[in-house]
Amino acid sequence: GKFSNVKYIPNGIELSTEITNYQNRILYLGRISVAKGINLVVPELTRIIAKTSWGIDIVGDGPLLNKMKLFHSRHTLLRDRY
């Protein structure tokens, strides 16, 4: 068939069965600028995470940094790391 030469190779490491405290987070890592579209994405994601258990971490610098900080101060759902 179409995929007859595909072979399954199992994971070479043992996965832990321990309970972790991972959280559902979205990470934005990059320049905080219009060119990257952060000004469009974050307001939409903020509306989505308000209805879910997800959060956003923003890491970066750029010309929209101060506007992003102002947006953050009005929307406590964001956890920033400037």
Side-chain angles (χ1 to χ4, degrees), residues 15-81:
L15 300 176
S16 174
T17 58
E18 296 178 25
I19 296 175
T20 63
N21 60 354
Y22 290 122
Q23 299 175 357
N24 295 326
R25 310 284 314 159
I26 297 169
L27 172 64
Y28 174 84
L29 178 63
R31 187 163 169 77
I32 302 173
S33 68
V34 172
K36 297 292 185 175
I38 188 81
N39 58 314
L40 303 174
V41 172
V42 169
E44 294 302 318
L45 287 176
T46 301
R47 285 194 286 194
I48 293 168
I49 65 172
K51 300 174 186 174
T52 67
S53 64
W54 284 77
I56 305 172
D57 292 323
I58 300 171
V59 182
D61 195 3
L64 293 183
L65 178 61
N66 288 332
K67 286 185 180 182
M68 193 57 56
K69 286 182 178 181
L70 178 61
F71 184 84
H72 172 264
S73 70
R74 295 180 181 161
H75 299 85
T76 57
L77 297 171
L78 296 176
R79 186 173 86 190
D80 59 353
R81 296 179 187 170

